Amino acid sequence: MPRPVMRYPGAPGSVAQAAWEAEVPLRGDPSALAALVGAGGVCVLSGAGISTDSGIPDYRGPSSAARRHAPMTYDAFISDPDARHRYWARSHVGWPQIERARPNEAHGAVAALQRTGLVTDVITQNVDGLHQDAGARDVVELHGALARVVCLACTATHERADIQDRLAAVNHAFDAEVAALRSTQVNPDGDAELPTGLVDRFTMIDCPACGEGPLKPDVVFFGESVPRSRVAHCFDRVGRSRALLVLGSSLAVMSGLRFARAAARAGTPVAIVTAGPSRGDDLAALRLVSPLGEALPGLVRALRA
């Protein structure tokens, strides 16, 4: 069958694109994927690439964009009030795009496969909540959810929508200046690229519950550990599955790669469908490169035929 078309972020037809494509060791085809999933017992592990068609860029794939600022780290957020202030200014601007995002056909296909019983578990590295919005049930949010906010002092949990409203109430001038910008680039973790001078004019609020504690989105920042109980729960789900299907993830960080390694060690077939090279390519019994918005609905149709 013809080689799948890869969406490369650089110049089409360039030498760099050819080298980038050549890094992916393709194995199998859509019919092999249908046979694997059609046997049931599939655990899905999804990454940022499944949400790009919903308008949320990914970190390393074709839709990723160069960012002026490194992603927020846990240590910086906890220890540096200025870094925390910068994060919240950018997050306040970026949140509406995350909130407006809607599930795409790939999310819908995963939910449909779960309803048929072929997909038994869904683990996502994403923090956008789009799997649940598409109808998937009992989704494990490995890295948390942007829709929740926690207080680092009293541990109270707040809805992000409520915090956004409170921030808007004290940032009329800031919001007006942001609206005047020609564009703001929103990053996968929900924060926007902003000029430093504008960030300085942002006003942050304290916890509405205790009035003192700093607020943190209920997500796992870079350098922060995923709670052990959550990791153990994911290992249990992967361990009881008949196959692990990785969708839209380069598995560049250990938080996702460890599950692919565990499955491979146990002799559980690993299938990876994502654009560009994956750190788990050597583990994959089946490796395809195809836009998920086409591949997954096509998979559902094939299984219904």
Side-chain angles (χ1 to χ4, degrees):
M1 87 179 263
R3 181 184 178 89
V5 176
M6 298 177 68
R7 297 184 294 177
Y8 176 68
S14 67
V15 173
Q17 178 181 11
W20 187 77
E21 291 180 353
E23 291 184 48
V24 182
L26 299 176
R27 304 184 187 100
D29 56 31
S31 63
L33 179 62
L36 183 75
V37 175
V42 176
C43 177
V44 164
L45 172 63
S46 71
I50 200 170
S51 293
T52 55
D53 285 348
S54 296
I56 301 175
D58 58 7
Y59 287 96
R60 301 169 184 86
S63 78
S64 62
R67 56 188 296 166
R68 295 193 301 272
H69 307 284
M72 177 58 61
T73 66
Y74 179 71
D75 286 345
F77 190 91
I78 295 299
S79 64
D80 186 349
D82 290 337
R84 195 158 57 237
H85 185 88
R86 287 194 300 272
Y87 171 84
W88 273 111
R90 295 171 187 154
S91 182
H92 175 62
V93 175
W95 169 250
Q97 180 170 329
I98 302 297
E99 187 178 37
R100 288 193 301 268
R102 294 295 177 264
N104 60 56
E105 289 187 282
H107 296 112
V110 170
L113 291 170
Q114 188 185 44
R115 286 194 295 272
T116 67
L118 297 177
V119 166
T120 54
D121 298 285
V122 180
I123 302 168
T124 186
Q125 296 172 280
N126 300 339
V127 295
D128 52 36
L130 293 179
H131 275 299
Q132 296 94 316
D133 290 346
R137 306 178 309 278
D138 197 22
V139 177
V140 180
E141 295 174 310
L142 187 62
H143 296 155
L146 280 172
R148 298 187 300 269
V149 176
V150 296
C151 174
L152 296 177
C154 73
T155 71
T157 301
H158 307 279
E159 294 295 324
R160 175 57 191 266
D162 178 60
I163 297 300
Q164 189 74 7
D165 288 344
R166 291 171 181 267
L167 288 172
V170 297
N171 280 287
H172 294 295
F174 173 83
D175 286 343
E177 290 190 71
V178 170
L181 292 178
R182 184 166 300 176
S183 66
T184 54
Q185 175 193 318
V186 176
N187 297 310
D189 37 10
D191 61 330
E193 299 287 343
L194 296 175
T196 301
L198 185 55
V199 168
D200 293 340
R201 293 192 284 278
F202 172 76
T203 300
M204 186 52 194
I205 63 171
D206 292 318
C207 172
C210 69
E212 297 180 4
L215 297 172
K216 176 184 178 292
D218 191 14
V219 300
V220 176
F221 282 134
F222 285 87
E224 183 178 3
S225 297
V226 179
R228 289 185 179 181
S229 60
R230 194 180 303 166
V231 173
H233 186 47
C234 290
F235 272 124
D236 178 66
R237 291 188 175 209
V238 172
R240 72 189 188 193
S241 67
R242 195 198 57 80
L244 177 66
L245 176 58
V246 180
L247 300 173
S249 176
S250 65
L251 299 177
V253 294
M254 187 56 67
S255 66
L257 179 62
R258 56 188 161 190
F259 302 121
R261 287 180 172 175
R265 283 196 301 269
T268 301
V270 177
I272 301 176
V273 185
T274 193
S278 160
R279 196 176 169 193
D281 284 344
D282 62 326
L283 306 172
L286 192 154
R287 179 64 165 98
L288 301 178
V289 177
S290 178
L292 293 177
E294 299 173 12
L296 294 183
L299 172 63
V300 171
R301 290 192 296 271
L303 292 170
R304 287 174 175 169

